[in-house]
Amino acid sequence: MNETFARRLTGLAGIAAAAALIIEVPLYFVYSGPPPDANVLTRLLLAIFSLAFLIVFVTAFRELVKRVNPAYEWVGSMAFATGLVYTTVTLVSSGLEAGAVIAADRSIDPTITVSGTYILYGSIGRVLLTLFLVAVGFGISRTNLLPRWTSRSAYVLAGVNVAFVPSLFFGNDPANFYAANGWGTTASMGAILSYWLLALGISTYRSATRRTPSAGSPALRH
């Protein structure tokens, strides 16, 4: 995988993951009570596709960092590892919710009923995303991989995620912004992540047309 291809793949995967998330998040706010099964299963299906694209994104990002500056390959590996763990945890949460909805004989709100997902979507997800965003931001800033705003915004978003880690102490009412499964802790953070990922994906894809020299060439170092 050369650098140009790595940039394009990283960018396209980020855009695709973001697009699925952008469509998914509003579905959480359509119904005030227990949503119909179709609503829940649709948003979970979109989440599955989004997370699949995120796996491609973190894998390609690791390769991109390695191509641009091999000295920081460890940072790319950290972003890959934390991103992969976050994806796995979120897929498990989605599976638990989907299974509960399919098995139930009435409409349920899995964000309340499936208690095992509260901390997975909430505090655990926030910690994992913090590590992932810090690794991405650090990797970008140290390798000059992308414009400075991309690394700075990653740090800011990481700080926002840290602020929601203590939400596990504030109950399980989704209507509560700061609850363990609150709309601020989960859905809103997903929305912010989706638009940041979209911007990052576009920037990464566009950078492929501006940096055609191979990795390690003087044109990339100066």
Side-chain angles (χ1 to χ4, degrees):
M1 182 186 294
N2 60 40
E3 182 183 334
T4 299
F5 180 74
R7 286 179 182 273
R8 288 174 177 166
L9 181 59
T10 304
L12 286 174
I15 292 169
L21 270 174
I22 289 170
I23 298 172
E24 173 202 353
V25 171
L27 296 178
Y28 282 87
F29 300 97
V30 175
Y31 300 94
S32 57
D37 291 359
N39 172 273
V40 178
L41 296 178
T42 298
R43 71 197 191 198
L44 291 175
L45 182 61
L46 287 167
I48 292 169
F49 279 113
S50 176
L51 293 166
F53 288 125
L54 188 60
I55 292 173
V56 178
F57 174 83
V58 299
T59 304
F61 181 80
R62 177 182 63 177
E63 291 301 312
L64 180 54
V65 171
K66 178 181 177 180
R67 293 294 177 182
V68 173
N69 192 332
Y72 289 96
E73 180 181 358
W74 65 273
V75 181
S77 295
M78 181 175 293
F80 169 77
T82 53
L84 193 61
V85 174
Y86 169 77
T87 301
T88 302
V89 167
T90 310
L91 282 171
V92 170
S93 302
S94 297
L96 291 172
E97 287 196 356
V101 169
I102 293 170
D105 57 1
R106 66 186 188 284
S107 294
I108 64 171
D109 185 350
T111 62
I112 301 174
T113 306
V114 188
S115 57
T117 65
Y118 295 170
I119 307 304
L120 295 177
Y121 276 132
S123 298
I124 292 175
R126 302 286 71 78
V127 169
L128 292 172
L129 268 182
T130 297
L131 293 174
F132 169 71
L133 289 164
V134 169
V136 169
F138 186 76
I140 292 173
S141 64
R142 290 296 179 175
T143 61
N144 295 316
L145 181 62
L146 293 169
R148 290 181 180 177
W149 68 263
T150 56
S151 60
R152 291 174 179 174
S153 61
Y155 291 140
V156 170
L157 190 52
V160 174
N161 274 272
V162 168
F164 279 95
V165 173
S167 62
L168 78 168
F169 292 105
F170 293 86
N172 67 331
D173 182 2
N176 181 354
F177 178 81
Y178 200 74
N181 58 342
W183 63 271
T185 309
T186 56
S188 292
M189 291 306 301
I192 295 172
L193 175 67
S194 66
Y195 286 105
W196 175 81
L197 193 58
L198 178 62
L200 184 69
I202 293 172
S203 180
T204 307
Y205 185 82
R206 292 180 62 186
S207 71
T209 62
R210 296 194 297 266
R211 298 195 177 191
T212 53
S214 60
S217 67
L220 293 182
R221 293 198 301 265
H222 302 287

